[in-house]
Amino acid sequence: ATVMEYCGQFVKIEDIDLGDSPVLCITMVNDKVWMGFQIGYLCIYDADTHDPIAQIWVRQGIPILSIAHIPSLNTVYIGMSDGSVKSYSDMIDDIIETSGDSIVTEMDPLNTYQDTNQVSVCLLPVLYSHTDIEMQHHLWVGQSNREITVLNAIDLSIVDFIDSPLDKTLTPRFLNSLTYTHLTCSISITDDVQTEPFVISTPETDVHTEIENVPNVLVYGAVEHGQYVTCWDAQTRDVITSVDCMKLLSQWKSEPPPQVSALQYYSDHLYIGLVTGEVLVLAAPTLNLLTILHCHRSHVRSFLAIDLKKLLPNPTQSPAFTPALSPSHPFLITDDNTVTYKTGPIQLMSFGTGFRAYYESADSIDYTQSSFLLVWESGQWTKMVT
């Protein structure tokens, strides 16, 4: 693995030898990095020193497919290819102190959910206000057969089973069923739902319907090899709408079809990465198409959204960023003694195969096969695509 620093440009910090087994998932948990390996191995690294502090066999030979974290519960969740979900305490420092070892090799799960007929491919923590004083913590587990199991995040008991009746994706001949591999959530928890009506498009009829009392937490999901994205109310688990990526790309005539390969909700926008390299930017919750980014050559693998307001001090209030110092700062600019952001406060990173370069280059980089991490200023997606 390569550790990079991002501050306007990417700077390589260190290479870390992780062995021969592929890393299938990686998640930041407080100030630690949790990595799940194909061989069923869990490694926890210190984010500052990059030193390993835990090396644990969750279940030897069973791939770890996903890791999720709920900070308010101090709990980390691990999804396995055998259909199990295990929860662990995120207070790894306390475990190290108790064990007396420099590297933890054993860690008992808090709870375990097991479904031998499924695989736990994708884990999504979902939090919403059940009452004025009660917060519900659920864990949505993407599984095969186009199914999602909703678990209580505290004890991993079953809350509900849901599906997506509006998803008409045909199952490829080489697969027995389609699996939910992409889930994302609008985790903006408030006490009250929105009361302003909004308009959503029903894909089967293409008729616009006015919906009132929009839930304050929505979940979006897509199956592997699918071209539909479905939206649910996180509290009732009812389907609100579904969008067909093929219909969003009205001029699409090439192969393969625009299958979803990555999904990310952030700051009232839904980003859909396609196997063909495009990124669709949709307004949420209406799912109206704002723009199409023709950026990668193929497979957009993942997204990472960065809010500079959370990473940098307020440029108008922090004495550290004075007009005399800020011109050299990668994200801040001085104009008439006023320090502001050079870009928008929101940036989006897309990781995928290849790069569609719009300029001539004399370097030796393979722009068709190499992996690229691209950074977009994502604060102003206002142009509608027709």
Side-chain angles (χ1 to χ4, degrees):
T2 301
V3 180
M4 306 287 290
E5 178 183 6
Y6 175 67
C7 191
Q9 61 182 359
F10 292 101
V11 179
K12 181 178 177 179
I13 303 298
E14 183 182 358
D15 284 326
I16 301 175
D17 185 3
L18 301 178
D20 297 329
S21 179
V23 176
L24 301 185
C25 50
I26 180 171
T27 299
M28 190 75 180
V29 178
N30 301 325
D31 58 347
K32 307 295 187 293
V33 179
W34 291 49
M35 296 183 184
F37 289 76
Q38 189 177 51
I39 56 175
Y41 201 51
L42 173 68
C43 285
I44 304 176
Y45 287 82
D46 187 289
D48 294 324
T49 65
H50 313 145
D51 294 329
I53 58 176
Q55 298 173 340
I56 300 162
W57 283 107
V58 179
R59 187 172 178 187
Q60 192 165 354
I62 305 299
I64 300 175
L65 301 179
S66 52
I67 302 175
H69 181 219
I70 299 183
S72 58
L73 297 181
N74 297 117
T75 305
V76 181
Y77 304 87
I78 294 177
M80 312 287 291
S81 66
D82 63 352
S84 64
V85 178
K86 300 177 183 294
S87 62
Y88 293 88
S89 170
D90 68 357
M91 294 184 286
I92 189 67
D93 290 332
D94 294 343
I95 298 175
I96 294 175
E97 183 177 349
T98 302
S99 67
D101 298 327
S102 59
I103 297 181
V104 175
T105 57
E106 294 184 3
M107 192 163 61
D108 295 329
L110 303 175
N111 291 285
T112 300
Y113 163 79
Q114 181 69 54
D115 188 338
T116 57
N117 297 320
Q118 295 279 10
V119 292
S120 300
V121 177
C122 180
L123 302 180
L124 176 70
V126 176
L127 287 70
Y128 63 87
S129 300
H130 180 60
T131 65
D132 290 341
I133 59 175
E134 182 183 2
M135 188 71 69
Q136 288 288 340
H137 299 76
H138 287 167
L139 188 69
W140 288 43
V141 184
Q143 298 179 315
S144 55
N145 299 320
R146 305 176 193 248
E147 294 179 355
I148 297 172
T149 301
V150 182
L151 303 177
N152 183 311
I154 297 177
D155 60 8
L156 297 186
S157 60
I158 297 175
V159 175
D160 201 357
F161 298 99
I162 59 178
D163 57 12
S164 51
L166 299 181
D167 191 330
K168 307 298 182 182
T169 301
L170 297 178
T171 303
R173 294 181 180 179
F174 57 88
L175 292 177
N176 294 326
S177 65
L178 293 177
T179 302
Y180 262 102
T181 52
H182 310 291
L183 290 171
T184 187
C185 180
S186 61
I187 306 178
S188 54
I189 303 169
T190 57
D191 293 333
D192 301 313
V193 298
Q194 301 176 21
T195 56
E196 293 295 326
F198 71 98
V199 175
I200 62 176
S201 177
T202 304
E204 293 186 329
T205 60
D206 227 10
V207 176
H208 286 78
T209 306
E210 191 173 86
I211 302 292
E212 295 185 0
N213 297 327
V214 182
N216 61 329
V217 180
L218 301 173
V219 175
Y220 302 88
V223 297
E224 185 180 19
H225 304 288
Q227 65 188 53
Y228 290 82
V229 174
T230 303
C231 175
W232 295 270
D233 178 339
Q235 182 170 358
T236 65
R237 272 86 67 185
D238 293 334
V239 174
I240 293 181
T241 188
S242 180
V243 62
D244 183 352
C245 294
M246 181 68 82
K247 290 188 176 180
L248 296 179
L249 302 167
S250 57
Q251 307 300 319
W252 192 273
K253 295 181 181 179
S254 61
E255 292 290 339
Q259 299 172 351
V260 178
S261 58
L263 196 64
Q264 176 73 50
Y265 175 95
Y266 196 78
S267 187
D268 297 326
H269 295 95
L270 184 66
Y271 301 95
I272 304 174
L274 304 179
V275 298
T276 48
E278 284 78 15
V279 173
L280 309 181
V281 183
L282 279 63
T286 61
L287 297 187
N288 290 326
L289 181 63
L290 297 179
T291 190
I292 303 173
L293 306 177
H294 301 275
C295 47
H296 296 281
R297 295 280 183 172
S298 65
H299 285 86
V300 179
R301 305 289 182 181
S302 60
F303 295 111
L304 176 63
I306 298 176
D307 188 345
L308 298 180
K309 298 190 299 296
K310 297 179 179 179
L311 297 179
L312 300 175
N314 188 320
T316 63
Q317 299 177 0
S318 174
F321 295 109
T322 63
L325 299 177
S326 61
S328 61
H329 196 279
F331 293 132
L332 301 177
I333 191 170
T334 302
D335 184 16
D336 297 331
N337 292 327
T338 300
V339 184
T340 58
Y341 295 107
K342 289 183 179 179
T343 66
I346 307 298
Q347 293 189 346
L348 176 76
M349 292 186 182
S350 62
F351 180 75
T353 303
F355 170 52
R356 300 178 190 269
Y358 297 101
Y359 53 86
E360 294 295 331
S361 175
D363 58 40
S364 58
I365 298 176
D366 185 350
Y367 285 95
T368 61
Q369 298 298 325
S370 301
S371 295
F372 283 84
L373 187 59
L374 307 180
V375 183
W376 306 85
E377 181 183 351
S378 57
Q380 300 293 329
W381 303 118
T382 56
K383 181 179 180 180
M384 295 297 295
V385 176
T386 57

